[in-house]
């Protein structure tokens, strides 16, 4: 079996809570990411979904070393990216890029598009000055923008056009893996599908792999090959896309999928409404972190409240961390 292009093993990211006064003796931590493991095959897209604050974006930033990991490993083609340094780290950074959520905040308003797209080549010394302008024109053409836009500033573009510039910057150095951090959530619905189709076309043409982080399950379903579901810093379920949407196993995943609107008013949809709010990541619940909002927590007695569930495989490629599944065979 081939080595996945990206393998994350037990990745942890905790943030220290600042003391509010000289009398505050707390040593509390925010458990943003708590032992997440996942794999992405070359040329595939892993979709990552969950409520706000579940740790999705933090996970993406830690994978790319935009944030320092507390513990764990990030293997890129079998090599631990988190321990790379010097010139090797510089070389690997060309292969691992990111598309940010807010296309306006991620672009320097004082730089023209030409300057923004030339910057990666200046940093990595990968093109001479005479060739950069030509490469910028190629990048603009790849993302569907005319080359005449190169001398404009970010404020002169619409949100969708700015995100296309962000995508052009991400692909400038011909990367192998791109973390897409909610790249369409700030865009109008009519523009979202255009950007998603652009990402899929670039994936086919360039052989890209994506970690696609999103709130909306519709976008994830459209672009992903595999889907992971996060809750309060934990990956509670992962499976191939078709399997996850047809046979969701974790109660949290079932609730998320039940909330997807159905365009046919004649179809009666059974909505699963979650009770209460997401607990604080500073003091996550003991046992299963979802048990405070789970309607099935009483089905397996006190285990949900006291024992952290192990991740088990219930079908090929389908993993779930839930006490309702008491073995690798998936018996309920």
């Amino acid at each position: 079996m081939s080595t996945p292009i990206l393998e994350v093993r037990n990745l942890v990211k905790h943030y220290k809570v600042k003391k509010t006064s000289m009398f505050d003796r707390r040593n509390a931590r925010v458990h943003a990411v708590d032992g997440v493991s996942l794999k992405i095959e070359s040329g595939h897209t892993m979709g990552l979904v969950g409520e706000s604050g579940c740790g999705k974006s933090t996970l993406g930033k830690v994978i790319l070393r935009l944030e320092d990991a507390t513990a764990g490993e990030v293997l890129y083609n079998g090599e631990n990216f988190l321990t790379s340094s010097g010139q090797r780290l510089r070389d690997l950074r060309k292969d691992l890029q990111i598309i940010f959520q807010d296309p306006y905040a991620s672009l320097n308003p004082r730089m023209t598009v030409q300057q923004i797209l030339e910057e990666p080549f200046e940093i990595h010394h990968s093109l001479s000055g005479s060739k950069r302008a030509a490469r910028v024109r190629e990048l603009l053409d790849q993302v569907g923008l005319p080359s005449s836009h190169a001398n404009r500033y970010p404020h002169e573009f619409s949100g969708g056009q700015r995100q296309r510039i962000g995508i052009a910057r991400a692909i400038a150095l011909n990367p192998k893996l791109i973390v897409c951090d909610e790249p369409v959530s700030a865009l109008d619905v009519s523009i979202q599908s255009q950007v998603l189709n652009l990402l899929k076309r670039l994936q086919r043409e360039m052989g890209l792999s994506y970690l696609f982080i999103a709130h909306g399950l519709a976008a994830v379903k459209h672009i992903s090959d595999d889907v992971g579901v996060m809750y309060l810093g934990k990956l509670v379920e992962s499976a191939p896309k078709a399997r996850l949407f047809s046979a969701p196993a974790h109660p949290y995943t079932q609730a998320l999928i039940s909330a997807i609107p159905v365009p046919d008013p004649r179809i009666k949809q059974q909505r699963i409404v979650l009770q209460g709010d997401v607990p604080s990541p500073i003091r996550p619940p003991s046992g299963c972190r979802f048990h405070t909002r789970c309607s099935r927590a009483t089905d397996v007695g006190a285990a949900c409240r006291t024992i952290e569930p192990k991740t088990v495989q219930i079908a090929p490629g389908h993993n779930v961390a839930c006490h309702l599944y008491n073995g690798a065979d998936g018996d309920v």
Side-chain angles (χ1 to χ4, degrees):
M1 188 174 180
S2 61
T3 302
I5 190 169
L6 183 78
E7 183 176 1
V8 176
R9 296 179 179 173
N10 298 314
L11 197 61
V12 176
K13 176 60 180 176
H14 293 170
Y15 296 95
K16 291 182 179 179
V17 175
K18 292 183 179 179
K19 294 183 178 182
T20 57
S21 71
M22 63 180 294
F23 303 104
D24 190 345
R25 298 181 180 276
R26 293 180 301 171
N27 289 314
R29 293 175 177 268
V30 175
H31 297 246
V33 177
D34 234 350
V36 170
S37 298
L38 57 83
K39 296 179 182 180
I40 302 177
E41 299 296 329
S42 180
H44 283 220
T45 299
M46 173 81 172
L48 196 63
V49 298
E51 293 171 280
S52 295
C54 72
K56 307 184 302 296
S57 293
T58 300
L59 176 64
K61 291 174 182 176
V62 173
I63 287 173
L64 296 181
R65 291 182 66 171
L66 300 180
E67 298 271 3
D68 292 329
T70 303
E73 295 179 305
V74 175
L75 304 181
Y76 171 66
N77 284 328
E79 180 178 350
N80 192 352
F81 181 57
L82 300 186
T83 59
S84 301
S85 61
Q87 186 58 46
R88 182 56 183 160
L89 174 60
R90 193 181 186 89
D91 292 340
L92 289 174
R93 285 202 180 279
K94 291 189 291 186
D95 287 350
L96 305 169
Q97 296 292 322
I98 186 169
I99 300 167
F100 293 98
Q101 176 181 359
D102 187 342
Y104 190 69
S106 64
L107 300 176
N108 190 330
R110 299 178 184 225
M111 296 173 67
T112 65
V113 171
Q114 180 81 31
Q115 293 170 323
I116 289 170
L117 297 183
E118 282 187 350
E119 192 172 30
F121 307 117
E122 295 173 358
I123 293 171
H124 291 278
H125 309 292
S126 55
L127 277 182
S128 62
S130 60
K131 295 181 179 179
R132 290 174 189 164
R135 179 60 177 145
V136 168
R137 290 194 296 270
E138 291 177 7
L139 289 169
L140 289 174
D141 182 64
Q142 279 184 280
V143 299
L145 292 174
S147 59
S148 58
H149 287 3
N151 294 319
R152 295 186 182 182
Y153 289 87
H155 74 270
E156 300 180 74
F157 296 92
S158 67
Q161 289 173 321
R162 284 196 289 264
Q163 194 59 291
R164 288 174 185 267
I165 296 168
I167 293 171
R169 179 177 60 185
I171 66 172
L173 297 172
N174 294 312
K176 303 297 186 295
L177 175 79
I178 298 179
V179 173
C180 305
D181 186 11
E182 302 190 41
V184 298
S185 63
L187 306 179
D188 293 340
V189 174
S190 59
I191 305 300
Q192 289 182 10
S193 60
Q194 296 178 22
V195 173
L196 290 174
N197 288 335
L198 170 62
L199 290 172
K200 293 185 73 172
R201 175 172 63 78
L202 292 173
Q203 184 175 46
R204 290 193 303 269
E205 293 174 355
M206 302 177 65
L208 296 168
S209 304
Y210 294 137
L211 175 61
F212 187 88
I213 299 166
H215 281 299
L217 282 168
V220 167
K221 189 175 183 179
H222 179 72
I223 198 171
S224 301
D225 299 294
D226 303 287
V227 181
V229 181
M230 282 190 71
Y231 182 82
L232 208 61
K234 294 281 188 180
L235 191 68
V236 297
E237 185 168 6
S238 62
K241 175 180 65 177
R243 169 78 186 184
L244 187 102
F245 281 91
S246 63
H250 198 282
Y252 179 59
T253 309
Q254 294 169 359
L256 291 180
I257 291 177
S258 76
I260 300 175
V262 176
D264 190 342
R266 295 170 296 180
I267 298 177
K268 297 291 184 180
Q269 192 171 10
Q270 186 67 34
R271 175 73 190 276
I272 301 172
V273 180
L274 298 178
Q275 302 299 319
D277 297 322
V278 179
S280 170
I282 297 177
R283 295 179 183 84
S286 59
C288 175
R289 296 190 176 182
F290 185 60
H291 84 262
T292 59
R293 305 174 71 196
C294 182
S295 61
R296 301 194 64 185
T298 58
D299 293 357
V300 288
C304 293
R305 299 189 300 274
T306 58
I307 304 172
E308 184 175 326
K310 294 181 179 180
T311 300
V312 296
Q313 181 172 284
I314 60 174
H318 190 171
N319 301 304
V320 61
C322 180
H323 286 300
L324 293 171
Y325 300 84
N326 54 27
D329 57 359
D331 293 337
V332 179

